Short mmCIF file of all heavy atoms in Angstrom, two decimals:
data_model
loop_
_atom_site.label_atom_id
_atom_site.label_comp_id
_atom_site.label_asym_id
_atom_site.label_seq_id
_atom_site.Cartn_x
_atom_site.Cartn_y
_atom_site.Cartn_z
N GLN A 152 -4.40 1.94 24.49
CA GLN A 152 -4.48 2.84 25.65
C GLN A 152 -4.05 4.25 25.27
O GLN A 152 -3.41 4.45 24.23
CB GLN A 152 -3.56 2.32 26.76
CG GLN A 152 -2.12 2.21 26.33
CD GLN A 152 -1.24 1.59 27.40
OE1 GLN A 152 -1.66 0.72 28.14
NE2 GLN A 152 -0.01 2.05 27.49
N CYS A 153 -4.40 5.21 26.12
CA CYS A 153 -4.01 6.60 25.91
C CYS A 153 -2.48 6.69 25.85
O CYS A 153 -1.79 6.14 26.71
CB CYS A 153 -4.55 7.47 27.05
SG CYS A 153 -3.89 9.16 27.01
N SER A 154 -1.99 7.38 24.81
CA SER A 154 -0.53 7.47 24.63
C SER A 154 0.14 8.29 25.72
O SER A 154 1.36 8.23 25.87
CB SER A 154 -0.22 8.13 23.29
OG SER A 154 -0.81 7.40 22.27
N VAL A 155 -0.62 9.09 26.49
CA VAL A 155 -0.01 9.93 27.53
C VAL A 155 -0.15 9.29 28.91
O VAL A 155 0.85 9.03 29.59
CB VAL A 155 -0.64 11.35 27.52
CG1 VAL A 155 -0.06 12.20 28.65
CG2 VAL A 155 -0.41 12.02 26.18
N CYS A 156 -1.40 8.99 29.34
CA CYS A 156 -1.59 8.53 30.72
C CYS A 156 -1.75 7.01 30.83
O CYS A 156 -1.72 6.46 31.93
CB CYS A 156 -2.77 9.24 31.38
SG CYS A 156 -4.36 8.68 30.72
N GLY A 157 -1.95 6.35 29.69
CA GLY A 157 -2.02 4.88 29.73
C GLY A 157 -3.38 4.31 30.10
O GLY A 157 -3.51 3.09 30.23
N VAL A 158 -4.41 5.15 30.25
CA VAL A 158 -5.73 4.61 30.56
C VAL A 158 -6.23 3.79 29.35
O VAL A 158 -6.08 4.23 28.21
CB VAL A 158 -6.72 5.74 30.96
CG1 VAL A 158 -7.03 6.65 29.79
CG2 VAL A 158 -8.03 5.16 31.50
N PHE A 160 -8.26 2.14 26.33
CA PHE A 160 -9.39 2.53 25.48
C PHE A 160 -10.48 1.48 25.68
O PHE A 160 -10.30 0.33 25.31
CB PHE A 160 -8.98 2.58 24.00
CG PHE A 160 -7.97 3.64 23.67
CD1 PHE A 160 -7.06 3.45 22.65
CD2 PHE A 160 -7.94 4.85 24.37
CE1 PHE A 160 -6.14 4.43 22.32
CE2 PHE A 160 -7.02 5.83 24.04
CZ PHE A 160 -6.10 5.63 23.02
N ILE A 175 -3.19 9.00 19.61
CA ILE A 175 -4.57 9.07 20.10
C ILE A 175 -4.50 9.15 21.63
O ILE A 175 -3.77 8.37 22.25
CB ILE A 175 -5.38 7.83 19.68
CG1 ILE A 175 -5.30 7.62 18.17
CG2 ILE A 175 -6.83 7.96 20.14
CD1 ILE A 175 -5.87 6.29 17.69
N THR A 176 -5.24 10.10 22.21
CA THR A 176 -5.24 10.22 23.67
C THR A 176 -6.67 10.25 24.20
O THR A 176 -7.62 10.46 23.45
CB THR A 176 -4.55 11.51 24.16
OG1 THR A 176 -5.40 12.63 23.83
CG2 THR A 176 -3.18 11.71 23.56
N CYS A 177 -6.77 10.05 25.53
CA CYS A 177 -8.08 10.21 26.18
C CYS A 177 -8.41 11.70 26.27
O CYS A 177 -7.56 12.56 26.03
CB CYS A 177 -8.05 9.58 27.57
SG CYS A 177 -7.12 10.53 28.77
N ARG A 178 -9.65 12.00 26.66
CA ARG A 178 -10.12 13.39 26.70
C ARG A 178 -9.32 14.23 27.70
O ARG A 178 -9.05 15.39 27.50
CB ARG A 178 -11.61 13.40 27.06
CG ARG A 178 -12.25 14.75 26.97
CD ARG A 178 -13.70 14.67 27.38
NE ARG A 178 -13.86 13.97 28.65
CZ ARG A 178 -15.01 13.82 29.30
NH1 ARG A 178 -16.10 14.31 28.77
NH2 ARG A 178 -15.08 13.18 30.44
N PHE A 179 -8.91 13.59 28.81
CA PHE A 179 -8.23 14.34 29.86
C PHE A 179 -6.82 14.77 29.45
O PHE A 179 -6.29 15.75 29.93
CB PHE A 179 -8.20 13.52 31.16
CG PHE A 179 -9.57 13.17 31.63
CD1 PHE A 179 -10.05 11.87 31.52
CD2 PHE A 179 -10.41 14.15 32.14
CE1 PHE A 179 -11.34 11.55 31.91
CE2 PHE A 179 -11.70 13.84 32.54
CZ PHE A 179 -12.17 12.54 32.44
N CYS A 180 -6.23 14.00 28.56
CA CYS A 180 -4.88 14.34 28.10
C CYS A 180 -4.93 15.14 26.80
O CYS A 180 -3.89 15.44 26.23
CB CYS A 180 -4.06 13.07 27.89
SG CYS A 180 -3.81 12.16 29.41
N ALA A 181 -6.14 15.42 26.32
CA ALA A 181 -6.28 16.07 25.02
C ALA A 181 -5.89 17.54 25.10
O ALA A 181 -6.34 18.26 25.97
CB ALA A 181 -7.71 15.96 24.54
ZN1 ZN B 301 -4.83 10.09 28.88
#
Side-chain angles (χ1 to χ4, degrees):
Q152 58 185 35
C153 171
S154 302
V155 177
C156 72
V158 67
F160 294 149
I175 306 170
T176 71
C177 74
R178 187 182 49 175
F179 301 107
C180 297

